[in-house]
Amino acid sequence: MHSYLPLKRSLQKLFILLSITVLSDYCYGQKTTYNQFWNEIQFTRTLNEKWSAELDLANSFSSTESSSNLFENNVQRSFRFWGNYYLTPRWKTSAFVAYYDNKDVPEIGQFKSPEWRFALQGTYYFHKIGYSLTTRMRLELRHIRDENLEYENVLRYRQQIKYLKPLNSKVLRKGVIYAIASDEIFLKTGTKVTGESFFDRNRFNIGAGYLFNDDIQLELTYANEYLPRNNGDQIVNAASLTLTFNNLYKNVRKKLSHKNDPPVTKEDE
């Protein structure tokens, strides 16, 4: 009987401790979930063996706390100009300047917050047979307007690892479907507009892509983001669609020039 009492008291203390922990998590750890749709069109142009340029046009939609419709609000539009330099077969260095029209983004408090962004990036390629593995390092300077119409500078570091595997071929070529998966960690300096936390977010991405030919490809993925914020953590579930055109102007011009060529006759042969 005496040996039972200490055990009973220990279980009671454990139950009280667990109750306090659960209640604390419920009061202070509540999360808000948003459904979003991201779409992006990328135009790349090869300049020479070492250099390439790129233009990205993106548009994002989001649900709200009162509506689960992922097309409820058009929350962001953006464009980015890239310059890419291929340092070695394994290393690519990049830089971009971008403008983001943040119109109603849940992350920064649902107010209009235009932003200029500048970034330096390095990508390392692990060459493997049957699949590819890359790691990407990016340092961003975000010059972003807060709700008081004042601009703040946010320094953010991003680290990503990405896996890509062709499914119906050993190499990427026309007609190939491929699977992709990636995970990325975001770390930032603290500001009023984006929150004081050092850990900005984690983004997990998984999906598939299709190569129409060497110059046109389509990717459809699911993204899950976890964003710790001062007024409550946020979870984002997003469908993402990316369409990429390589050397579009050059290829169109080449096709048009061939159409204007005179027909070949036997005398020409």
Side-chain angles (χ1 to χ4, degrees):
M1 181 70 179
H2 293 290
S3 61
Y4 173 74
L5 289 176
L7 177 61
K8 183 178 180 181
R9 291 194 186 99
S10 298
L11 290 174
Q12 288 175 340
K13 290 180 181 179
L14 180 60
F15 176 77
I16 292 171
L17 181 62
L18 289 174
S19 299
I20 294 173
T21 303
V22 171
L23 288 173
S24 299
D25 287 341
Y26 178 78
C27 294
Y28 301 105
Q30 296 184 40
K31 298 178 176 62
T32 305
T33 300
Y34 295 95
N35 302 314
Q36 297 187 354
F37 177 73
W38 307 338
N39 62 93
E40 184 173 349
I41 300 178
Q42 302 175 347
F43 301 93
T44 65
R45 171 69 185 272
T46 302
L47 303 178
N48 53 46
E49 292 183 357
K50 289 289 187 178
W51 286 94
S52 68
E54 182 178 332
L55 169 64
D56 299 342
L57 304 174
N59 200 10
S60 299
F61 299 85
S62 177
S63 65
T64 63
E65 292 188 22
S66 59
S67 173
S68 60
N69 180 10
L70 75 167
F71 293 102
E72 184 69 21
N73 279 341
N74 181 208
V75 295
Q76 185 185 74
R77 294 176 181 174
S78 67
F79 66 83
R80 290 185 297 182
F81 290 104
W82 288 84
N84 303 303
Y85 179 73
Y86 299 86
L87 191 63
T88 69
R90 291 183 178 271
W91 275 105
K92 181 177 77 172
T93 57
S94 308
F96 76 68
V97 58
Y99 177 76
Y100 288 78
D101 182 20
N102 300 315
K103 299 196 296 183
D104 195 18
V105 182
E107 170 203 349
I108 57 178
Q110 307 250 304
F111 54 86
K112 187 173 177 61
S113 179
E115 170 190 355
W116 285 96
R117 192 179 301 183
F118 309 89
L120 298 174
Q121 177 175 288
T123 306
Y124 185 79
Y125 297 86
F126 298 89
H127 297 298
K128 302 294 181 180
I129 299 175
Y131 68 94
S132 68
L133 192 65
T134 61
T135 182
R136 186 184 74 188
M137 299 143 281
R138 181 188 296 177
L139 185 64
E140 297 177 331
L141 174 62
R142 305 178 66 187
H143 187 61
I144 184 170
R145 195 175 76 183
D146 62 21
E147 57 186 335
N148 298 319
L149 305 183
E150 296 178 354
Y151 279 86
E152 294 186 83
N153 290 322
V154 183
L155 197 62
R156 185 166 70 176
Y157 176 76
R158 300 168 57 168
Q159 181 71 51
Q160 182 200 70
I161 186 166
K162 182 177 181 179
Y163 173 83
L164 186 151
K165 180 176 177 57
L167 299 179
N168 56 337
S169 174
K170 293 183 178 180
V171 296
L172 292 175
R173 54 182 176 81
K174 178 180 178 180
V176 169
I177 301 172
Y178 57 91
I180 48 177
S182 67
D183 192 74
E184 187 170 15
I185 294 175
F186 298 64
L187 307 174
K188 65 174 179 61
T189 56
T191 58
K192 293 179 181 179
V193 66
T194 60
E196 300 295 336
S197 61
F198 175 66
F199 177 70
D200 183 42
R201 73 190 66 190
N202 184 84
R203 177 184 294 171
F204 174 74
N205 211 58
I206 189 168
Y210 178 74
L211 284 167
F212 293 94
N213 52 49
D214 293 337
D215 296 314
I216 302 176
Q217 67 187 81
L218 179 70
E219 290 185 356
L220 180 62
T221 62
Y222 161 75
N224 175 268
E225 282 192 338
Y226 167 66
L227 300 84
R229 293 296 180 263
N230 297 337
N231 57 352
D233 297 345
Q234 297 179 12
I235 301 294
V236 174
N237 297 303
S240 177
L241 181 68
T242 303
L243 182 61
T244 302
F245 296 94
N246 299 315
N247 301 308
L248 179 63
Y249 175 75
K250 182 179 178 181
N251 292 333
V252 170
R253 188 177 62 177
K254 185 184 295 183
K255 288 184 178 180
L256 291 176
S257 64
H258 285 323
K259 286 185 178 180
N260 294 329
D261 289 342
V264 178
T265 63
K266 292 185 176 180
E267 288 78 6
D268 294 330
E269 295 176 351

